[in-house]
Each structure stands twice: as C-alpha cells, then as structure tokens.
Coordinates of all heavy atoms in Angstrom, one line a residue:
M1 N -77.9 22.0 23.2 CA -77.9 21.6 21.8 C -77.9 22.7 20.9 O -78.4 23.8 21.2 CB -79.1 20.7 21.5 CG -79.1 19.4 22.2 SD -80.3 18.2 21.8 CE -80.0 17.9 20.1
H2 N -77.2 22.6 19.8 CA -77.1 23.6 18.7 C -77.3 22.9 17.4 O -76.6 22.0 17.0 CB -75.7 24.2 18.8 CG -75.4 25.2 17.7 ND1 -76.1 26.4 17.7 CD2 -74.7 25.1 16.6 CE1 -75.6 27.1 16.6 NE2 -74.8 26.3 15.9
E3 N -78.4 23.3 16.7 CA -78.7 22.7 15.5 C -78.7 21.1 15.6 O -78.1 20.4 14.8 CB -77.8 23.1 14.4 CG -77.9 24.6 14.1 CD -76.9 25.1 13.0 OE1 -76.3 24.2 12.3 OE2 -76.8 26.3 12.8
R4 N -79.3 20.7 16.7 CA -79.5 19.2 17.0 C -78.1 18.5 17.2 O -78.0 17.4 16.9 CB -80.3 18.5 15.9 CG -81.7 19.0 15.8 CD -82.5 18.2 14.9 NE -83.8 18.7 14.7 CZ -84.9 18.4 15.4 NH1 -84.8 17.5 16.4 NH2 -86.0 18.9 15.2
Q5 N -77.2 19.3 17.7 CA -75.9 18.7 18.1 C -75.6 19.0 19.6 O -75.9 20.1 20.0 CB -74.7 19.3 17.3 CG -74.7 19.0 15.8 CD -73.5 19.6 15.1 OE1 -73.1 20.7 15.5 NE2 -73.0 18.9 14.2
V6 N -75.1 18.1 20.3 CA -74.7 18.3 21.7 C -73.4 19.1 21.6 O -72.5 18.8 21.0 CB -74.5 17.0 22.4 CG1 -74.0 17.2 23.8 CG2 -75.8 16.2 22.4
V7 N -73.4 20.2 22.4 CA -72.3 21.1 22.4 C -71.6 21.2 23.8 O -70.6 21.9 23.9 CB -72.6 22.6 21.9 CG1 -73.1 22.5 20.5 CG2 -73.7 23.2 22.8
G8 N -72.2 20.5 24.7 CA -71.6 20.5 26.0 C -72.2 19.5 26.9 O -73.3 18.9 26.6
Q9 N -71.6 19.2 28.1 CA -72.1 18.2 29.0 C -71.5 18.6 30.4 O -70.4 19.0 30.6 CB -71.6 16.9 28.6 CG -72.0 15.7 29.4 CD -71.5 14.4 28.9 OE1 -70.3 14.3 28.5 NE2 -72.3 13.4 29.0
V10 N -72.4 18.4 31.4 CA -72.0 18.5 32.8 C -72.2 17.1 33.4 O -73.3 16.6 33.4 CB -72.8 19.5 33.6 CG1 -72.4 19.6 35.0 CG2 -72.7 20.9 32.9
R11 N -71.2 16.5 34.0 CA -71.3 15.3 34.6 C -71.3 15.5 36.1 O -70.4 16.3 36.6 CB -70.1 14.3 34.3 CG -70.2 13.9 32.9 CD -69.1 12.9 32.6 NE -69.3 12.5 31.2 CZ -68.7 11.4 30.7 NH1 -68.0 10.6 31.5 NH2 -68.9 11.1 29.4
Y12 N -72.2 14.9 36.9 CA -72.2 15.1 38.3 C -72.8 13.9 39.0 O -73.5 13.0 38.4 CB -73.0 16.3 38.6 CG -74.5 16.3 38.2 CD1 -75.5 15.9 39.2 CD2 -74.9 16.5 36.9 CE1 -76.8 15.8 38.8 CE2 -76.3 16.5 36.6 CZ -77.2 16.1 37.5 OH -78.5 16.0 37.2
R13 N -72.6 13.8 40.3 CA -73.3 12.9 41.2 C -74.1 13.7 42.2 O -73.6 14.8 42.6 CB -72.2 12.0 41.9 CG -71.5 11.1 41.0 CD -70.6 10.1 41.8 NE -69.8 10.7 42.8 CZ -68.6 11.2 42.7 NH1 -68.0 11.2 41.5 NH2 -67.9 11.7 43.7
F14 N -75.2 13.2 42.6 CA -76.1 13.9 43.4 C -76.8 13.0 44.4 O -77.2 11.9 44.0 CB -77.2 14.6 42.6 CG -78.4 15.2 43.3 CD1 -78.2 16.2 44.2 CD2 -79.6 14.6 43.2 CE1 -79.3 16.7 44.9 CE2 -80.7 15.1 43.9 CZ -80.5 16.2 44.7
C15 N -76.9 13.4 45.7 CA -77.6 12.6 46.7 C -78.7 13.4 47.2 O -78.4 14.4 48.0 CB -76.6 12.1 47.8 SG -77.5 11.2 49.1
P16 N -80.0 13.1 47.0 CA -81.1 13.9 47.5 C -81.2 13.7 49.0 O -81.7 14.7 49.7 CB -82.3 13.3 46.8 CG -81.9 12.0 46.2 CD -80.4 12.0 46.1
A17 N -80.8 12.6 49.6 CA -80.9 12.4 51.0 C -79.9 13.4 51.8 O -80.2 13.9 52.8 CB -80.6 11.0 51.4
C18 N -78.7 13.5 51.2 CA -77.7 14.4 51.8 C -77.8 15.9 51.3 O -77.2 16.7 51.9 CB -76.3 13.9 51.5 SG -75.8 12.3 52.2
T19 N -78.5 16.1 50.2 CA -78.6 17.3 49.5 C -77.2 17.9 49.2 O -76.9 19.0 49.4 CB -79.5 18.4 50.2 OG1 -78.9 18.7 51.5 CG2 -80.9 18.0 50.4
R20 N -76.4 16.9 48.7 CA -75.0 17.3 48.3 C -74.8 16.8 46.8 O -75.3 15.7 46.5 CB -74.0 16.7 49.2 CG -74.0 17.3 50.6 CD -72.8 16.8 51.4 NE -72.9 15.3 51.5 CZ -72.1 14.6 52.3 NH1 -71.2 15.3 53.1 NH2 -72.2 13.3 52.4
G21 N -74.1 17.5 46.1 CA -73.7 17.1 44.7 C -72.3 17.4 44.4 O -71.7 18.3 45.0
V22 N -71.7 16.6 43.5 CA -70.3 16.8 43.1 C -70.3 16.8 41.6 O -70.8 15.9 40.9 CB -69.4 15.6 43.6 CG1 -68.0 15.8 43.1 CG2 -69.5 15.5 45.1
I23 N -69.8 17.9 41.0 CA -69.6 18.1 39.6 C -68.3 17.4 39.3 O -67.2 17.8 39.8 CB -69.6 19.5 39.2 CG1 -71.0 20.1 39.5 CG2 -69.3 19.7 37.7 CD1 -71.0 21.6 39.5
T24 N -68.3 16.4 38.4 CA -67.1 15.7 38.1 C -66.4 16.1 36.8 O -65.2 15.9 36.6 CB -67.3 14.1 38.0 OG1 -68.4 13.9 37.1 CG2 -67.8 13.6 39.4
A25 N -67.2 16.7 35.9 CA -66.6 17.2 34.6 C -67.6 18.1 33.9 O -68.8 18.0 34.0 CB -66.3 16.0 33.7
I26 N -67.0 19.1 33.2 CA -67.7 20.0 32.4 C -67.0 20.0 31.0 O -65.8 20.3 31.0 CB -67.7 21.4 33.0 CG1 -68.3 21.4 34.4 CG2 -68.5 22.4 32.1 CD1 -68.1 22.7 35.1
T27 N -67.8 19.8 30.0 CA -67.2 19.8 28.7 C -68.1 20.7 27.8 O -69.3 20.6 27.7 CB -67.3 18.3 28.1 OG1 -66.6 17.4 29.0 CG2 -66.6 18.3 26.7
I28 N -67.4 21.6 27.1 CA -68.1 22.5 26.2 C -67.2 22.6 24.9 O -66.0 22.8 25.0 CB -68.2 23.9 26.8 CG1 -69.1 23.9 28.1 CG2 -68.8 24.9 25.8 CD1 -69.1 25.1 28.8
S29 N -67.9 22.4 23.8 CA -67.2 22.4 22.5 C -66.5 23.8 22.3 O -67.0 24.8 22.7 CB -68.2 22.2 21.3 OG -68.8 21.0 21.4
D30 N -65.3 23.7 21.7 CA -64.5 24.9 21.5 C -65.2 26.2 21.0 O -65.0 27.2 21.5 CB -63.3 24.6 20.6 CG -62.2 23.8 21.4 OD1 -62.2 23.8 22.6 OD2 -61.4 23.1 20.7
P31 N -66.0 26.0 19.9 CA -66.7 27.3 19.4 C -67.6 27.9 20.4 O -68.0 29.1 20.3 CB -67.5 26.8 18.2 CG -67.0 25.4 17.9 CD -66.3 24.9 19.1
F32 N -68.0 27.2 21.5 CA -68.9 27.7 22.5 C -68.3 28.2 23.8 O -69.0 28.5 24.7 CB -70.0 26.7 22.7 CG -70.8 26.4 21.5 CD1 -70.5 25.4 20.6 CD2 -71.9 27.3 21.1 CE1 -71.2 25.1 19.5 CE2 -72.6 27.0 19.9 CZ -72.2 26.0 19.1
H33 N -66.9 28.1 23.8 CA -66.3 28.6 25.0 C -66.5 30.1 25.1 O -66.7 30.8 24.1 CB -64.8 28.4 24.9 CG -64.4 26.9 25.2 ND1 -63.3 26.6 26.0 CD2 -65.0 25.8 24.9 CE1 -63.3 25.3 26.1 NE2 -64.3 24.8 25.4
D34 N -66.6 30.7 26.3 CA -66.7 32.1 26.5 C -68.0 32.7 25.9 O -68.1 33.8 25.5 CB -65.5 32.9 25.9 CG -64.2 32.5 26.6 OD1 -64.2 32.2 27.8 OD2 -63.2 32.4 25.9
T35 N -69.1 31.8 25.8 CA -70.4 32.3 25.4 C -71.4 32.3 26.5 O -72.5 32.7 26.3 CB -70.9 31.4 24.3 OG1 -71.1 30.1 24.8 CG2 -70.0 31.3 23.1
G36 N -71.0 31.9 27.7 CA -71.9 31.8 28.8 C -72.6 30.5 28.9 O -73.5 30.3 29.8
L37 N -72.3 29.6 28.0 CA -73.0 28.3 28.1 C -72.8 27.5 29.3 O -73.7 26.9 29.9 CB -72.6 27.5 26.8 CG -73.4 26.2 26.6 CD1 -74.9 26.5 26.4 CD2 -72.8 25.5 25.4
G38 N -71.5 27.5 29.8 CA -71.2 26.9 31.1 C -71.9 27.4 32.2 O -72.5 26.7 33.1
T39 N -72.0 28.7 32.3 CA -72.8 29.4 33.4 C -74.2 29.0 33.3 O -74.8 28.7 34.4 CB -72.6 30.9 33.3 OG1 -71.2 31.2 33.4 CG2 -73.4 31.6 34.4
R40 N -74.8 29.0 32.1 CA -76.2 28.6 32.0 C -76.4 27.2 32.4 O -77.4 26.8 33.0 CB -76.7 28.8 30.6 CG -76.8 30.3 30.2 CD -77.3 30.5 28.8 NE -78.6 29.9 28.7 CZ -79.3 29.8 27.5 NH1 -78.7 30.3 26.4 NH2 -80.4 29.2 27.4
A41 N -75.5 26.3 32.0 CA -75.6 24.9 32.4 C -75.6 24.7 33.9 O -76.4 23.9 34.5 CB -74.5 24.0 31.7
L42 N -74.7 25.3 34.6 CA -74.6 25.2 36.0 C -75.7 25.8 36.7 O -76.2 25.3 37.7 CB -73.2 25.7 36.5 CG -72.0 24.9 36.1 CD1 -70.7 25.5 36.7 CD2 -72.1 23.5 36.5
S43 N -76.2 26.9 36.2 CA -77.4 27.6 36.8 C -78.6 26.7 36.6 O -79.5 26.6 37.5 CB -77.7 28.9 36.1 OG -76.6 29.8 36.3
H44 N -78.7 26.0 35.5 CA -79.8 25.0 35.3 C -79.7 23.9 36.3 O -80.7 23.4 36.8 CB -79.8 24.5 33.8 CG -80.8 23.5 33.6 ND1 -82.2 23.8 33.4 CD2 -80.8 22.1 33.5 CE1 -82.9 22.7 33.2 NE2 -82.0 21.7 33.2
L45 N -78.5 23.4 36.5 CA -78.3 22.3 37.4 C -78.7 22.7 38.8 O -79.4 22.0 39.5 CB -76.8 21.9 37.4 CG -76.4 20.7 38.3 CD1 -77.1 19.5 37.8 CD2 -74.9 20.5 38.2
R46 N -78.4 23.9 39.2 CA -78.8 24.5 40.6 C -80.3 24.6 40.7 O -80.9 24.3 41.7 CB -78.1 25.8 40.8 CG -76.7 25.7 41.2 CD -76.1 27.0 41.5 NE -74.8 26.9 42.2 CZ -74.0 27.9 42.3 NH1 -74.2 29.1 41.8 NH2 -72.8 27.7 43.0
A47 N -80.9 25.0 39.6 CA -82.4 25.2 39.6 C -83.1 23.8 39.6 O -84.1 23.7 40.2 CB -82.8 26.0 38.4
R48 N -82.5 22.8 39.0 CA -83.0 21.5 39.0 C -83.0 20.8 40.4 O -83.8 20.0 40.7 CB -82.3 20.7 37.9 CG -82.9 19.3 37.7 CD -82.2 18.6 36.6 NE -82.9 17.3 36.3 CZ -82.4 16.4 35.5 NH1 -81.4 16.7 34.8 NH2 -83.0 15.3 35.4
H49 N -81.9 21.2 41.1 CA -81.7 20.6 42.5 C -81.6 21.7 43.5 O -80.5 21.9 44.1 CB -80.5 19.7 42.5 CG -80.5 18.6 41.5 ND1 -81.3 17.5 41.6 CD2 -79.8 18.4 40.3 CE1 -81.1 16.7 40.6 NE2 -80.2 17.2 39.8
P50 N -82.7 22.4 43.8 CA -82.6 23.5 44.7 C -82.2 23.0 46.1 O -82.6 21.9 46.6 CB -84.0 24.1 44.7 CG -84.9 23.1 44.2 CD -84.0 22.2 43.3
G51 N -81.5 23.9 46.8 CA -81.1 23.5 48.2 C -79.8 22.6 48.3 O -79.4 22.2 49.4
T52 N -79.3 22.2 47.1 CA -78.2 21.3 47.1 C -76.9 22.1 47.3 O -76.7 23.2 46.8 CB -78.1 20.6 45.8 OG1 -79.3 19.8 45.6 CG2 -76.9 19.6 45.7
T53 N -76.0 21.5 48.1 CA -74.6 22.1 48.3 C -73.7 21.4 47.2 O -73.6 20.2 47.2 CB -74.1 21.8 49.7 OG1 -75.0 22.4 50.6 CG2 -72.7 22.3 49.9
W54 N -73.2 22.2 46.4 CA -72.4 21.7 45.3 C -70.9 21.8 45.5 O -70.4 22.8 46.1 CB -72.7 22.4 44.0 CG -74.1 22.0 43.5 CD1 -75.2 22.8 43.6 CD2 -74.4 20.8 42.8 NE1 -76.2 22.1 43.1 CE2 -75.8 20.9 42.6 CE3 -73.7 19.7 42.4 CZ2 -76.5 19.9 41.9 CZ3 -74.4 18.7 41.7 CH2 -75.8 18.8 41.5
H55 N -70.1 20.9 45.1 CA -68.6 20.9 45.1 C -68.2 20.3 43.8 O -69.0 19.9 43.0 CB -68.1 20.0 46.2 CG -68.4 20.5 47.6 ND1 -69.5 20.2 48.3 CD2 -67.7 21.3 48.4 CE1 -69.5 20.9 49.4 NE2 -68.4 21.5 49.5
S56 N -66.9 20.4 43.5 CA -66.4 19.9 42.2 C -65.1 19.1 42.4 O -64.3 19.5 43.2 CB -66.2 21.1 41.3 OG -65.5 20.7 40.1
T57 N -64.9 18.2 41.5 CA -63.7 17.5 41.4 C -63.1 17.7 40.0 O -62.1 17.2 39.6 CB -63.8 15.9 41.6 OG1 -64.7 15.4 40.6 CG2 -64.2 15.6 43.0
A58 N -63.7 18.6 39.2 CA -63.3 18.9 37.8 C -61.9 19.6 37.9 O -61.7 20.5 38.8 CB -64.3 19.8 37.1
R59 N -61.0 19.4 37.0 CA -59.7 19.9 37.2 C -59.0 20.6 36.0 O -57.8 20.8 36.1 CB -58.8 18.7 37.6 CG -59.1 18.1 38.8 CD -58.7 18.8 40.1 NE -58.5 20.2 40.1 CZ -59.1 21.0 40.9 NH1 -59.9 20.7 41.8 NH2 -58.8 22.3 40.8
T60 N -59.7 20.9 35.0 CA -59.1 21.7 33.9 C -59.1 23.2 34.3 O -59.9 23.6 35.1 CB -59.7 21.5 32.6 OG1 -61.0 22.1 32.6 CG2 -59.8 20.0 32.2
E61 N -58.2 23.9 33.6 CA -58.2 25.4 33.9 C -59.5 26.1 33.6 O -60.0 26.9 34.3 CB -57.0 26.0 33.1 CG -56.8 27.5 33.4 CD -55.6 28.1 32.7 OE1 -54.6 27.4 32.5 OE2 -55.7 29.3 32.4
A62 N -60.1 25.7 32.5 CA -61.4 26.3 32.1 C -62.5 26.0 33.1 O -63.3 26.9 33.5 CB -61.8 25.9 30.7
E63 N -62.5 24.7 33.5 CA -63.5 24.3 34.5 C -63.2 25.1 35.9 O -64.1 25.6 36.5 CB -63.4 22.8 34.8 CG -63.9 22.0 33.6 CD -63.6 20.5 33.8 OE1 -62.6 20.2 34.5 OE2 -64.4 19.7 33.3
D64 N -61.9 25.2 36.3 CA -61.6 25.9 37.5 C -62.1 27.3 37.5 O -62.7 27.8 38.4 CB -60.1 25.9 37.8 CG -59.6 24.6 38.3 OD1 -60.4 23.7 38.7 OD2 -58.4 24.3 38.3
D65 N -61.9 28.0 36.3 CA -62.4 29.4 36.2 C -63.9 29.5 36.3 O -64.4 30.4 37.0 CB -61.9 30.0 34.8 CG -60.4 30.2 34.8 OD1 -59.7 30.2 35.8 OD2 -59.9 30.4 33.6
L66 N -64.6 28.6 35.6 CA -66.0 28.7 35.6 C -66.5 28.4 37.1 O -67.4 29.1 37.6 CB -66.6 27.6 34.7 CG -68.1 27.4 34.7 CD1 -68.9 28.7 34.4 CD2 -68.5 26.3 33.7
L67 N -66.0 27.3 37.7 CA -66.4 27.0 39.0 C -66.1 28.0 40.1 O -66.9 28.3 41.0 CB -65.8 25.6 39.4 CG -66.3 24.5 38.5 CD1 -65.4 23.3 38.7 CD2 -67.8 24.1 38.8
L68 N -65.0 28.7 39.9 CA -64.7 29.8 40.8 C -65.7 31.0 40.6 O -66.2 31.5 41.6 CB -63.3 30.3 40.5 CG -62.7 31.5 41.3 CD1 -62.6 31.0 42.8 CD2 -61.4 31.9 40.8
R69 N -66.0 31.3 39.4 CA -67.0 32.3 39.1 C -68.4 32.0 39.7 O -69.1 32.8 40.2 CB -67.2 32.6 37.6 CG -66.0 33.4 37.1 CD -66.4 33.9 35.7 NE -66.9 33.0 34.8 CZ -66.2 32.2 34.0 NH1 -64.9 32.2 33.9 NH2 -66.8 31.3 33.2
M70 N -68.7 30.7 39.6 CA -70.0 30.2 40.1 C -70.0 29.9 41.6 O -71.0 29.4 42.2 CB -70.5 29.0 39.3 CG -70.7 29.2 37.9 SD -72.1 30.3 37.5 CE -73.5 29.2 38.1
R71 N -68.9 30.1 42.3 CA -68.7 29.9 43.7 C -69.0 28.4 44.1 O -69.7 28.1 45.1 CB -69.5 30.8 44.5 CG -69.0 32.2 44.3 CD -69.7 33.2 45.2 NE -69.2 34.5 44.9 CZ -69.7 35.6 45.3 NH1 -70.8 35.6 46.0 NH2 -69.2 36.8 45.0
I72 N -68.4 27.5 43.3 CA -68.5 26.1 43.6 C -67.1 25.6 44.0 O -66.2 25.6 43.1 CB -69.1 25.3 42.4 CG1 -70.5 25.8 42.0 CG2 -69.0 23.8 42.6 CD1 -71.1 25.2 40.8
P73 N -66.9 25.3 45.3 CA -65.6 24.9 45.7 C -65.1 23.6 45.2 O -65.9 22.7 45.0 CB -65.7 24.9 47.2 CG -67.2 24.7 47.5 CD -67.9 25.3 46.3
A74 N -63.8 23.5 45.1 CA -63.2 22.2 44.7 C -63.0 21.4 45.9 O -62.7 21.8 47.0 CB -61.8 22.5 44.0
L75 N -63.1 20.1 45.7 CA -62.8 19.1 46.7 C -61.4 18.7 46.7 O -60.8 18.4 45.6 CB -63.7 17.9 46.6 CG -65.2 18.0 46.9 CD1 -65.9 16.8 46.5 CD2 -65.4 18.3 48.3
T76 N -60.7 18.5 47.8 CA -59.4 18.0 47.8 C -59.4 16.5 48.0 O -58.4 15.8 47.7 CB -58.6 18.6 49.0 OG1 -59.3 18.5 50.2 CG2 -58.4 20.1 48.7
S77 N -60.5 15.9 48.5 CA -60.7 14.5 48.6 C -62.1 14.2 48.2 O -63.0 15.0 48.3 CB -60.3 14.0 50.0 OG -61.2 14.6 51.0
P78 N -62.4 12.9 47.8 CA -63.7 12.6 47.4 C -64.7 12.8 48.5 O -64.4 12.6 49.7 CB -63.6 11.1 47.1 CG -62.2 10.8 46.9 CD -61.4 11.8 47.7
L79 N -65.9 13.2 48.2 CA -67.0 13.5 49.1 C -67.7 12.1 49.4 O -68.1 11.5 48.5 CB -68.0 14.4 48.5 CG -69.1 15.0 49.4 CD1 -68.6 15.8 50.5 CD2 -70.1 15.8 48.6
S80 N -67.7 11.7 50.6 CA -68.3 10.5 51.0 C -69.8 10.6 51.2 O -70.2 11.7 51.7 CB -67.6 9.8 52.2 OG -67.8 10.7 53.3
C81 N -70.6 9.6 50.8 CA -72.0 9.7 51.0 C -72.4 8.2 51.3 O -72.2 7.3 50.5 CB -72.7 10.2 49.8 SG -74.5 10.0 49.8
P82 N -73.1 8.0 52.4 CA -73.6 6.6 52.7 C -74.7 6.2 51.9 O -75.0 5.0 51.9 CB -74.0 6.7 54.2 CG -74.4 8.2 54.4 CD -73.5 9.0 53.4
H83 N -75.3 7.1 51.1 CA -76.5 6.7 50.3 C -76.2 6.3 48.9 O -77.1 5.7 48.2 CB -77.5 7.9 50.3 CG -77.8 8.4 51.6 ND1 -77.3 9.5 52.1 CD2 -78.6 7.9 52.6 CE1 -77.7 9.7 53.3 NE2 -78.5 8.7 53.7
T84 N -75.0 6.6 48.4 CA -74.7 6.3 47.0 C -73.4 5.5 46.9 O -72.5 5.8 47.7 CB -74.6 7.6 46.1 OG1 -73.6 8.4 46.7 CG2 -75.9 8.3 46.0
P85 N -73.2 4.6 46.0 CA -72.0 3.9 45.9 C -70.9 4.8 45.3 O -71.1 5.7 44.6 CB -72.3 2.7 44.9 CG -73.5 3.2 44.1 CD -74.2 4.2 45.0
A86 N -69.7 4.4 45.6 CA -68.5 5.2 45.1 C -68.4 5.0 43.6 O -68.8 3.9 43.1 CB -67.2 4.7 45.8
P87 N -67.9 6.0 42.9 CA -67.8 5.8 41.4 C -66.8 4.7 41.1 O -65.8 4.5 41.8 CB -67.4 7.2 40.9 CG -66.8 7.9 42.1 CD -67.5 7.3 43.3
A88 N -67.0 4.0 40.0 CA -66.1 2.9 39.6 C -64.8 3.5 39.0 O -64.7 4.5 38.5 CB -66.8 2.0 38.7

C-alpha cells in the first residue's frame, strides 16, 4: 500500500499438504515498476509459506523477468493437486 492505496497484487494458489504453490498473476502499478516492490512481495510470500515449492503460470514479460530473477520456474501445464479444486 502507498498512501492507503493498493499498488500491487500477487495472486496464487497454495496447498499446505503438498507444500506446493502456483503464482497465477503479479500486478504492480506503473509508477512502482522497477522499484523492487515485486521482489519484496514474492520474498514476503516465500517467508509466509516456508518450505513451499513455487511455480508460476503468470505470462507477461514483466512477470517473466521478475520470476526468472526470483528463480520461480514457469509451468507448461497446470499443476495438479488432489487437495484443492481446480480453478474455475
């Protein structure tokens, strides 16, 4: 948040039983690109769910660059999990 405004969002699915997570989207407002906000958000996500193996289905160029820097691999097909329902 910046001056009580949301400036970004990370969408993800997480299964504590499998200790796997999938980042589905990362959105950061234009004025905050290249400020390290995306790195901080993903670092916070990793700290919140320690021991989780993360992957991504996010597909924009900016997201790809951030995920590559954070060493979060892209999925070529949806990650299946018997514990959570498939997204609608």
Side-chain angles (χ1 to χ4, degrees):
M1 290 189 62
H2 175 71
E3 297 178 9
R4 299 190 185 266
Q5 291 181 326
V6 175
V7 296
Q9 180 180 38
V10 177
R11 291 183 180 198
Y12 66 96
R13 292 188 314 270
F14 167 69
C15 177
C18 294
T19 63
R20 292 187 300 191
V22 178
I23 298 166
T24 58
I26 302 169
T27 307
I28 299 173
S29 298
D30 286 338
F32 297 95
H33 284 220
D34 300 323
T35 62
L37 187 61
T39 301
R40 288 182 60 186
L42 293 181
S43 295
H44 177 75
L45 184 62
R46 283 180 165 165
R48 187 173 181 187
H49 303 288
T52 299
T53 301
W54 290 99
H55 292 87
S56 173
T57 59
R59 295 285 22 128
T60 69
E61 186 177 325
E63 291 170 331
D64 283 345
D65 290 345
L66 173 60
L67 295 165
L68 182 63
R69 285 194 312 272
M70 296 293 292
R71 297 184 178 169
I72 298 175
L75 288 174
T76 55
S77 62
L79 188 63
S80 63
C81 172
H83 307 105
T84 57

